[in-house]
Amino acid sequence: MSESAKEPRWERRKQDRPQELLAAGLALFVERGYAATRLEDVAARAGVSKGTLYLYFENKESLFKSVVRANMLPLVDEAEDMVERHTGHSADLLRELILSWWGAVEHSGLVGISKLMMAEAGNFPELAQFYQAEVISRCDAVMVRMLERGAARGEFRSVDAEQMKKVIVAPILMLMLWSQSFGPCSIPPLDPQAYLASLIDLCLHGLLKPEHKPAQQQPD
Amino acid sequence: MSESAKEPRWERRKQDRPQELLAAGLALFVERGYAATRLEDVAARAGVSKGTLYLYFENKESLFKSVVRANMLPLVDEAEDMVERHTGHSADLLRELILSWWGAVEHSGLVGISKLMMAEAGNFPELAQFYQAEVISRCDAVMVRMLERGAARGEFRSVDAEQMKKVIVAPILMLMLWSQSFGPCSIPPLDPQAYLASLIDLCLHGLLKPEHKPAQQQPD
Amino acid sequence: MSESAKEPRWERRKQDRPQELLAAGLALFVERGYAATRLEDVAARAGVSKGTLYLYFENKESLFKSVVRANMLPLVDEAEDMVERHTGHSADLLRELILSWWGAVEHSGLVGISKLMMAEAGNFPELAQFYQAEVISRCDAVMVRMLERGAARGEFRSVDAEQMKKVIVAPILMLMLWSQSFGPCSIPPLDPQAYLASLIDLCLHGLLKPEHKPAQQQPD
Amino acid sequence: MSESAKEPRWERRKQDRPQELLAAGLALFVERGYAATRLEDVAARAGVSKGTLYLYFENKESLFKSVVRANMLPLVDEAEDMVERHTGHSADLLRELILSWWGAVEHSGLVGISKLMMAEAGNFPELAQFYQAEVISRCDAVMVRMLERGAARGEFRSVDAEQMKKVIVAPILMLMLWSQSFGPCSIPPLDPQAYLASLIDLCLHGLLKPEHKPAQQQPD
DNA sequence: TATGAATGAGGCTTCATTCAT
DNA sequence: CATGAATGAAGCCTCATTCAT
């Protein structure tokens, strides 16, 4: 896979190396955790040798932090855009935020990064602060804005947005965690779509004012 | 805490050793993760030497599994009892399940165990299966029974209980995780009571049939 | 040498381990220099395994510093005593200082330690300062006292003691260095006794006042 | 120093490369010792890349040997000339040999090369032999000739020249070593001129026959 | 039962050396 | 000639595990 005979190995684009290493690191850190991930395996998965890794990252910790930083920020940007630009009913915004976040995360290998941060926050306080400041608080803000927008437009009940945002985000994060940890061994297997439909169902029934509430909402 | 002055320490020890080691292990595994926890530290925290630990547990993995097993099962038993015995309105049962689970978990040092399992499930598939079978599925069943009871008594809407149980459990689990990982560095600090009140608020508004719904529910 | 079959290996006196490791370290550091010395070899020479070394010394640098400190201080003490207690002619003191220092150094494996410090001073500034303060300056003081005693008693010419002490110490140090570095491959081989006799000869002819000077000194 | 403004730098380079690398190597080997010197740093100091170094030297050891060889031989030639051509009193020859050797060494960056050889002789036996044969023995011979000349002309006492030459050379070598290793952290700082004056003072008082001896020699 | 000295496999990291351009 | 990305052997250090007392 990583050895194409016709092009010499070091000719391959120097500028792509960091990307490849970050991708390999993401996959392995998520799968095994920080400590159980060997740099030699990360390098091998990126198709280079152990030493090469040190041309791009100072050490294991530095690689780890880069993996987290590089992967999360784009996602958050996207979510912020979405709220900013939405024009329709807040119920649709809520639905879209939830479904598109999951869609983005599911297809990018980032499902595991929350688990990673949960597990390792204690060992990397500095990284935890970065994550809290740059990722969590921005995601929270997105949800708060969505809830307040709904209330301002008379579509949602007025609730304690500060807490409610966390209550709504929690099931999404748990879906990410489950799909990484117990998903593989749970019976029946996780069905993300049905799960998210139930979440949206609960949220809308729980938040919409009576006059906006769907007469008889059925899941999916 | 582990030194009770009135009884001489070597007379009391023998039968307590495993408990003390399990407690020390729980604390450290939760704080640092499996790999970053050194058996020497576990032994020291339990007030014994490194070698002693091997008189009670075969090796590190065995200690880890015992920590998980020993701590979770009692909690689940309690939750099962609660549903069985409840006689009143299902809204009260939901409220009680949520609040008493958190109460039990918060005061027993078990807050971290979910994080632990999430993080290490990948490295211990066998333990993950045990956890899934003995803990998760039983907790799930408790929630399902609560939802079905509500529907059967005409108090709750009819929903996809299989999914909804997970949606409701998720925020509780996340509260446990947050309080272990990002709690310490989040501003403003987590307020578990307000958070759970919002969760209950959302659930009841989202589940109760119109005629049972509180006219104007305010958070807390 | 270090493996006696009848007594189990770890029974051997815990309190002797540091000594054995320091001795092994001295030998190898002197022979190969700091960087070229492998801790595994030091451990092996002391009859223990790699890991054991870390029970007694924090790391390589710490071992190195301990080797230097532990070996030099006793020697300096001895030299200081000698000047303090001497009662006879200063020429005899000079002779005795030189010969007994070399005797002590030659039979204790410490011949190499000066070379070691010379070579590594640049890499361990902190250790160099210690050495300068605790060893060199005290040795210097011994020589200065000897020269001033001679002058005070009218036995030696009056000279610039501050510089002359270094001039006299230099050949002794060089003997230590030579015997470690080029001694093995020099032809004809070094003859320490004849060399020191020449040094004493030069010093006495160069320092004694005419009336004390040996009429016709012949080397040895 | 290595950047001459008037000629374009890539036109001048080719033939100067080896010299620049040898100079860079000398500086770093002396400062850090053989093992602690990284070829990348040598190359960088010479203003070339790591690979270039291998166009001129087979490997690290080869560079090291070349550094030693290239730097020492010219100095020895000069010293030999000096004895050959001297016509005056042997006391003046002794003084001139000592002072001019130090002068040459002090201003050429070669002060450290003795330390280098001392420290690494054990690791490079072959180089040590070269150094012994090509440098040390020739320097020794120069001193022996000086002493024998003095004796033959009736100016010096008759001494064991074979040993005495080493005794006289030792303080000069130590001055080189000190100025490299402990010089920086010694208080008061080394004063080479005063030190050498004391050496000459001692030698002349110790070697000159009574009739040639200066009535009252004062340092400097 | 309890100790803690000892072990050694295994991971992170460095750096001399190579080689395609 | 020159470059610098890539390699991999080798060393420091950690820590789970053993075992004689």
Side-chain angles (χ1 to χ4, degrees):
Chain A
M1 172 219 308
S2 60
E3 296 291 350
S4 154
K6 60 188 169 194
E7 40 180 6
R9 59 188 173 302
W10 64 265
E11 187 186 3
R12 276 180 314 145
R13 317 105 318 180
K14 168 192 170 182
Q15 66 274 23
D16 292 354
R17 278 286 143 72
Q19 300 302 329
E20 295 168 0
L21 286 165
L22 288 174
L26 175 63
L28 290 176
F29 281 138
V30 161
E31 185 182 327
R32 308 181 189 173
Y34 179 79
T37 295
R38 296 174 15 190
L39 288 192
E40 192 159 10
D41 291 342
V42 174
R45 182 185 260 252
V48 299
S49 79
K50 220 175 358 173
T52 301
L53 202 152
Y54 285 86
L55 297 177
Y56 300 96
F57 301 94
E58 206 175 346
N59 51 30
K60 190 179 186 179
E61 184 172 340
S62 158
L63 170 66
F64 180 69
K65 291 179 181 173
S66 297
V67 163
V68 174
R69 285 173 215 261
N71 281 298
M72 287 314 290
L73 296 182
L75 271 194
V76 182
D77 292 343
E78 194 179 337
E80 285 179 340
D81 274 7
M82 194 175 304
V83 189
E84 225 59 59
R85 296 186 189 143
H86 191 78
T87 55
H89 195 284
S90 294
D92 295 328
L93 175 55
L94 185 148
R95 215 187 321 262
E96 196 182 337
L97 268 179
I98 291 177
L99 292 177
S100 72
W101 171 275
W102 174 253
V105 136
E106 188 183 23
H107 295 105
S108 61
L110 295 179
V111 235
I113 212 155
S114 296
K115 183 187 86 172
L116 198 51
M117 281 309 305
M118 290 290 172
E120 306 296 347
N123 297 113
F124 302 92
E126 169 199 343
L127 185 61
Q129 276 176 14
F130 157 82
Y131 195 77
Q132 163 68 33
E134 295 297 315
V135 180
I136 297 181
S137 70
R138 284 172 62 196
C139 286
D140 281 1
V142 165
M143 293 307 264
V144 169
R145 235 172 308 157
M146 182 266 292
L147 290 173
E148 289 174 344
R149 179 183 187 276
R153 294 168 50 117
E155 295 158 345
F156 287 168
R157 291 192 295 127
S158 161
V159 295
D160 180 347
E162 205 51 43
Q163 301 302 329
M164 195 60 85
K165 93 200 163 194
K166 290 188 201 136
V167 171
I168 298 174
V169 163
I172 308 174
L173 290 176
M174 282 307 303
L175 176 57
M176 294 171 67
L177 301 194
W178 271 323
S179 67
Q180 283 301 308
S181 48
F182 298 106
C185 62
S186 95
I187 298 171
L190 238 71
D191 176 351
Q193 294 313 318
Y195 173 87
L196 290 174
S198 277
L199 169 61
I200 292 167
D201 175 45
L202 181 70
C203 287
L204 293 187
H205 274 91
L207 292 174
L208 284 175
K209 287 201 170 163
E211 61 271 24
H212 293 97
K213 198 160 295 188
Q216 189 59 18
Q217 174 109 6
Q218 56 263 64
D220 192 36
Chain B
M1 172 213 308
S2 61
E3 297 289 351
S4 156
K6 60 188 167 193
E7 34 185 6
R9 56 187 171 300
W10 23 263
E11 194 165 348
R12 171 186 54 85
R13 278 287 158 75
K14 318 226 156 159
Q15 65 276 21
D16 293 352
R17 277 285 148 72
Q19 296 305 326
E20 293 172 0
L21 286 166
L22 288 173
L26 175 63
L28 291 176
F29 282 137
V30 161
E31 183 182 328
R32 307 181 190 173
Y34 178 79
T37 295
R38 302 176 346 162
L39 288 193
E40 190 159 11
D41 292 342
V42 174
R45 182 185 258 251
V48 299
S49 78
K50 218 174 3 171
T52 302
L53 200 152
Y54 282 84
L55 297 175
Y56 298 97
F57 301 95
E58 204 178 346
N59 52 29
K60 190 179 186 180
E61 186 172 340
S62 157
L63 170 66
F64 181 70
K65 290 179 181 171
S66 298
V67 163
V68 174
R69 285 174 215 260
N71 282 297
M72 287 313 289
L73 296 183
L75 272 193
V76 183
D77 292 343
E78 193 180 338
E80 284 179 340
D81 275 7
M82 193 176 304
V83 191
E84 225 60 59
R85 298 187 187 140
H86 191 80
T87 54
H89 194 283
S90 295
D92 297 328
L93 175 56
L94 184 149
R95 210 186 325 260
E96 193 181 340
L97 268 180
I98 291 178
L99 292 176
S100 71
W101 170 276
W102 173 253
V105 135
E106 188 182 24
H107 296 105
S108 63
L110 295 178
V111 235
I113 210 155
S114 295
K115 182 186 89 170
L116 196 53
M117 281 311 304
M118 290 292 172
E120 306 295 347
N123 296 113
F124 301 93
E126 170 197 343
L127 185 61
Q129 276 175 14
F130 157 82
Y131 195 77
Q132 161 69 32
E134 297 298 316
V135 180
I136 298 179
S137 69
R138 286 172 61 196
C139 286
D140 280 2
V142 165
M143 294 306 267
V144 169
R145 234 170 309 157
M146 181 269 288
L147 290 173
E148 288 174 344
R149 179 183 187 278
R153 292 169 53 119
E155 295 158 346
F156 287 169
R157 289 191 298 125
S158 161
V159 295
D160 181 345
E162 204 51 42
Q163 301 302 330
M164 195 59 86
K165 92 200 164 194
K166 290 188 200 134
V167 170
I168 298 174
V169 163
I172 309 174
L173 291 176
M174 283 307 304
L175 176 57
M176 294 170 67
L177 300 196
W178 271 323
S179 65
Q180 284 300 308
S181 48
F182 296 106
C185 62
S186 96
I187 298 170
L190 240 69
D191 175 352
Q193 295 313 317
Y195 173 87
L196 291 174
S198 277
L199 168 62
I200 292 168
D201 174 46
L202 181 70
C203 288
L204 294 186
H205 274 91
L207 293 174
L208 284 175
K209 286 203 170 161
E211 61 270 23
H212 294 97
K213 196 162 296 189
Q216 189 55 21
Q217 175 113 6
Q218 58 264 62
D220 192 34
Chain C
M1 174 216 307
S2 60
E3 295 290 351
S4 154
K6 59 189 168 191
E7 40 182 4
R9 57 188 172 303
W10 63 264
E11 187 186 3
R12 278 181 312 144
R13 318 104 318 179
K14 169 193 170 183
Q15 66 273 26
D16 291 354
R17 276 287 142 71
Q19 300 303 328
E20 296 169 0
L21 286 165
L22 288 173
L26 174 63
L28 290 176
F29 282 137
V30 161
E31 183 182 329
R32 307 181 190 174
Y34 179 79
T37 294
R38 296 174 13 189
L39 287 193
E40 192 159 9
D41 291 343
V42 175
R45 181 185 260 252
V48 300
S49 79
K50 217 177 2 174
T52 301
L53 202 153
Y54 286 86
L55 298 177
Y56 299 96
F57 301 95
E58 208 175 344
N59 52 31
K60 191 181 186 178
E61 185 173 338
S62 158
L63 171 67
F64 181 68
K65 291 180 181 172
S66 297
V67 163
V68 173
R69 284 173 215 260
N71 281 298
M72 287 314 289
L73 297 184
L75 272 193
V76 183
D77 292 344
E78 196 180 336
E80 285 178 341
D81 275 7
M82 194 175 305
V83 188
E84 223 59 59
R85 296 188 189 140
H86 191 79
T87 54
H89 194 284
S90 295
D92 296 328
L93 176 55
L94 184 148
R95 212 186 322 261
E96 195 180 341
L97 268 180
I98 292 177
L99 292 177
S100 73
W101 171 275
W102 173 253
V105 137
E106 188 183 24
H107 295 106
S108 62
L110 295 179
V111 233
I113 212 156
S114 295
K115 182 186 88 171
L116 196 52
M117 281 310 305
M118 290 290 172
E120 307 296 347
N123 297 111
F124 302 92
E126 171 198 342
L127 185 61
Q129 277 176 14
F130 157 81
Y131 196 77
Q132 162 68 33
E134 296 296 315
V135 179
I136 297 180
S137 70
R138 283 172 62 196
C139 288
D140 281 2
V142 165
M143 294 308 264
V144 168
R145 233 170 310 157
M146 182 267 290
L147 290 173
E148 288 175 344
R149 179 183 186 277
R153 293 168 51 118
E155 295 158 344
F156 288 168
R157 290 192 295 127
S158 162
V159 295
D160 181 346
E162 207 50 44
Q163 301 301 329
M164 195 59 85
K165 93 201 162 192
K166 290 188 200 135
V167 171
I168 298 174
V169 163
I172 310 175
L173 291 176
M174 282 307 303
L175 176 57
M176 294 171 68
L177 301 195
W178 271 324
S179 66
Q180 284 301 306
S181 50
F182 296 107
C185 65
S186 93
I187 298 172
L190 238 71
D191 175 352
Q193 294 313 318
Y195 174 86
L196 291 175
S198 278
L199 169 61
I200 292 168
D201 175 45
L202 182 69
C203 288
L204 293 187
H205 273 90
L207 293 175
L208 284 176
K209 286 203 171 163
E211 61 270 25
H212 295 94
K213 198 161 295 187
Q216 187 55 20
Q217 173 115 5
Q218 57 262 67
D220 198 32
Chain D
M1 175 212 308
S2 61
E3 297 288 353
S4 155
K6 58 189 167 192
E7 35 184 6
R9 57 186 170 301
W10 22 263
E11 192 167 347
R12 171 187 53 85
R13 276 291 156 75
K14 316 224 160 164
Q15 65 277 20
D16 293 351
R17 278 286 148 75
Q19 297 304 326
E20 294 172 358
L21 285 166
L22 288 173
L26 174 62
L28 291 176
F29 281 137
V30 162
E31 183 182 329
R32 306 180 191 174
Y34 178 79
T37 295
R38 301 176 350 163
L39 288 193
E40 190 158 12
D41 292 342
V42 174
R45 182 185 258 252
V48 300
S49 78
K50 219 174 1 169
T52 302
L53 200 152
Y54 282 84
L55 297 175
Y56 297 97
F57 301 94
E58 202 177 349
N59 52 29
K60 191 180 186 179
E61 187 173 339
S62 156
L63 170 66
F64 180 68
K65 291 178 181 171
S66 297
V67 163
V68 174
R69 286 173 215 260
N71 281 298
M72 287 313 291
L73 296 183
L75 271 194
V76 183
D77 292 344
E78 192 179 337
E80 285 178 340
D81 276 6
M82 194 176 303
V83 190
E84 225 59 60
R85 296 185 190 144
H86 191 78
T87 54
H89 194 284
S90 295
D92 295 328
L93 176 55
L94 184 148
R95 214 186 322 260
E96 195 181 340
L97 269 180
I98 290 177
L99 292 176
S100 72
W101 170 276
W102 174 253
V105 136
E106 188 183 24
H107 296 106
S108 61
L110 295 179
V111 233
I113 211 156
S114 296
K115 182 186 90 171
L116 197 52
M117 281 309 305
M118 289 291 171
E120 306 295 348
N123 297 113
F124 302 92
E126 171 199 341
L127 185 60
Q129 278 174 13
F130 157 82
Y131 195 76
Q132 162 68 33
E134 296 296 316
V135 180
I136 297 180
S137 69
R138 282 173 63 196
C139 287
D140 281 1
V142 166
M143 294 306 264
V144 170
R145 235 172 307 157
M146 182 269 289
L147 290 174
E148 288 175 343
R149 179 183 186 278
R153 293 168 52 117
E155 295 158 345
F156 288 168
R157 289 191 297 126
S158 161
V159 296
D160 181 346
E162 205 50 42
Q163 301 302 330
M164 195 60 85
K165 95 203 161 190
K166 290 187 200 136
V167 171
I168 297 175
V169 164
I172 309 174
L173 290 176
M174 281 308 303
L175 176 58
M176 294 171 68
L177 300 194
W178 271 324
S179 66
Q180 284 301 307
S181 48
F182 296 106
C185 63
S186 96
I187 296 170
L190 241 71
D191 175 352
Q193 295 313 319
Y195 174 85
L196 291 175
S198 277
L199 169 62
I200 293 168
D201 174 45
L202 182 70
C203 287
L204 293 187
H205 273 89
L207 292 175
L208 285 176
K209 285 202 172 162
E211 61 272 23
H212 294 95
K213 199 161 294 187
Q216 190 58 20
Q217 174 108 7
Q218 59 261 66
D220 191 39

